[in-house]
Amino acid sequence: MNYNHILIRYAELALKGKNRKEFEKKLQDNLKRALKKFPETKVIRSFGRMFIELNGADEEAVSSRLKDIFGIHSFSPALKLELDQERIDEGALWAIKDALPEERGTFKVSVKRANKTFPKRSQELNYHIGSHILRNTKELTVDVHNPDVEVKVEIRDEACYIMCKTRKGAGGLPVGTAGKVMLMLSGGIDSPVAGYLALKRGVELEAIHFHSPPFTNERARQKVEDLARVLTRFGGRIKLHIVPFTAAQQEIHKKVPDNYEMTIMRRFMLRIAEAAAEKNGALALVNGESLGQVASQTLHSMHTINEVTNLPILRPLVTMDKLEVIEIARNIGTYELSILPYEDCCTIFLPPQTKTRPSIRKAAAYEQAIDVDKYVSKAVEGIETVIIKHDTNIEKEFEDLF
Ligand code: ATP
Ligand code: MG
């Protein structure tokens, strides 16, 4: 005997009506895509729940892939059996032995009998199956209040399902249910985490990266592609837009006083990101800013930088401490990549003294000396787009992190 199904429980149960349908459909599509390397599996929706039919695929391997998929609250390996008392007794016994191979500890049986035509009633079944387990194991005892293992038996119209283990899912909403965003992806620790958290809320993600060759090198670019590839574990393929930012940066460096250089550079980044977002149908920008972390992320700074765009900017990390961000980065497998040494375009020309309280008035005045539209549209025209595909090899490296 072996588990032949996985039962999936949705996160966000409050969803109703049309939204719920869309949610389920998306989740089903995402699961199919995520399980491509298990072609024998089937993803089935039935009566407000979702099942994966394993058809011989390894339950542990499939489960470890499921942990990356948003929209799942929890999931359980399940034994689907025909509605036959003897088979059910056997199945429950196998499942408890699988969960407690030493046959030591406590358990309880919880029967749900949705199929009212099944001969025995729930209470009777609890007792019957429990006794069968006790008779056929060494040192198991029943504890109805706080058992080591709960053997859940669901008697439904089409079959019986037996489950003993519950695994935690990734939570959130299925990717693709919330519209598209443009992630500003640097090679640092924060922005990949911001992208992960945005994906968790169901957005479809594209990414934009500002690159300033020859001041930033190919390795920096490669690193960003590698980071985007890690994110594909959670949301599938990602379009990555690489912006040639050298000309704009040099012009800013030439024309703007040192202490406003960072502010103006950020304003340019936002203008370019906004144009790219609009071109690609993204409804918001996402970045890795956290309040007060560095000079460019004070409230005054955000206020002045934000002024150039009307697009919503999502900042999933805004209230987090650096250590909290690092913990997520480690869990999702971006941290080790992010700490590799590299030059970000933000750091190349920047003087040490950045203003922590830049004003909109002064920023706008300094920009008078630059042909803003020209540099923005040049950068936008020069964007090179690459598609980052999901690579199943990376799954192995990070499997044990959860
Ligand atoms: P990160 O760790 O994400 O690089 P950070 O703490 O280094 O963030 P900043 O360098 O101030 O902070 O950048 C703030 C945000 O601006 C980043 O989180 C990212 O969203 C965006 N950003 C910075 N540099 C780039 C870049 N080269 N390309 C795209 N986005 C960038
Ligand atoms: Mg950075």
Side-chain angles (χ1 to χ4, degrees), residues 183-192 194 208-211 224 245 262 265-266 269 286-290 293-294 296-297 317 322 338 342 344-347:
L183 169 68
M184 298 174 71
L185 183 60
S186 72
I189 295 170
D190 301 325
S191 44
I208 187 166
H209 176 68
F210 295 85
H211 187 48
V224 170
F245 199 43
M262 166 72 95
M265 186 189 76
R266 295 281 175 189
M269 280 185 164
V286 178
N287 69 25
E289 287 174 338
S290 164
Q293 203 181 81
V294 287
S296 63
Q297 297 175 21
L317 312 187
K322 193 76 183 182
S338 289
Y342 86 118
D344 186 22
C345 69
C346 300
T347 48

Side-chain angles (χ1 to χ4, degrees), residues 56-235:
D58 180 50
E59 181 264 312
E60 296 271 342
V62 172
S63 290
S64 111
R65 188 71 187 99
L66 287 186
K67 286 181 192 155
D68 294 341
I69 308 302
F70 293 122
I72 298 178
H73 171 71
S74 67
F75 56 96
S76 299
L79 194 58
K80 182 180 180 183
L81 299 167
E82 65 216 75
L83 290 166
D84 171 82
Q85 186 66 57
E86 229 172 86
R87 292 287 288 156
I88 295 171
D89 293 346
E90 257 173 53
L93 182 62
W94 173 84
I96 189 101
K97 282 186 178 174
D98 176 66
L100 297 172
E102 307 269 305
E103 296 182 30
R104 208 171 290 142
T106 60
F107 76 100
K108 90 178 203 189
V109 178
S110 312
V111 173
K112 256 201 223 153
R113 181 170 157 268
N115 174 351
K116 301 297 177 201
T117 66
F118 194 77
K120 285 194 172 63
R121 293 168 158 261
S122 303
Q123 268 315 330
E124 223 181 319
L125 276 168
N126 281 337
Y127 183 78
H128 179 94
I129 297 168
S131 311
H132 183 76
I133 289 173
L134 287 172
R135 270 199 310 278
N136 292 286
T137 49
K138 290 185 219 140
E139 291 176 52
L140 290 178
T141 53
V142 173
D143 179 348
V144 290
H145 300 295
N146 191 20
D148 298 329
V149 174
E150 185 177 356
V151 185
K152 294 185 185 147
V153 179
E154 293 193 17
I155 310 280
R156 301 185 141 244
D157 288 342
E158 75 285 8
C160 164
Y161 296 90
I162 297 175
M163 288 164 278
C164 279
K165 302 180 213 168
T166 300
R167 301 177 196 261
K168 203 165 169 289
L173 297 162
V175 170
T177 51
K180 195 193 284 178
V181 299
M182 186 67 74
L183 169 68
M184 298 174 71
L185 183 60
S186 72
I189 295 170
D190 301 325
S191 44
V193 174
Y196 165 82
L197 292 172
L199 282 169
K200 185 171 182 189
R201 295 313 299 168
V203 299
E204 183 188 333
L205 197 94
E206 292 191 9
I208 187 166
H209 176 68
F210 295 85
H211 187 48
S212 300
F215 306 103
T216 55
N217 61 26
E218 272 307 300
R219 281 202 8 244
R221 182 185 155 150
Q222 184 59 46
K223 180 179 175 185
V224 170
E225 292 191 9
D226 292 344
L227 284 167
R229 191 164 296 111
V230 175
L231 293 180
T232 63
R233 274 177 67 193
F234 308 99

Side-chain angles (χ1 to χ4, degrees), residues 229 232-233 388-397:
R229 191 164 296 111
T232 63
R233 274 177 67 193
I388 308 294
K389 287 201 187 129
H390 180 62
D391 175 357
T392 49
N393 288 329
I394 58 170
E395 281 161 29
K396 285 206 187 65
E397 289 169 42

Side-chain angles (χ1 to χ4, degrees), residues 359-387:
S359 78
I360 292 178
R361 194 177 52 77
K362 280 196 176 160
Y366 292 138
E367 282 173 354
Q368 294 286 323
I370 301 174
D371 187 345
V372 175
D373 288 347
K374 184 182 102 186
Y375 282 96
V376 169
S377 44
K378 267 237 154 111
V380 174
E381 280 159 25
I383 286 179
E384 183 195 335
T385 300
V386 287
I387 308 266

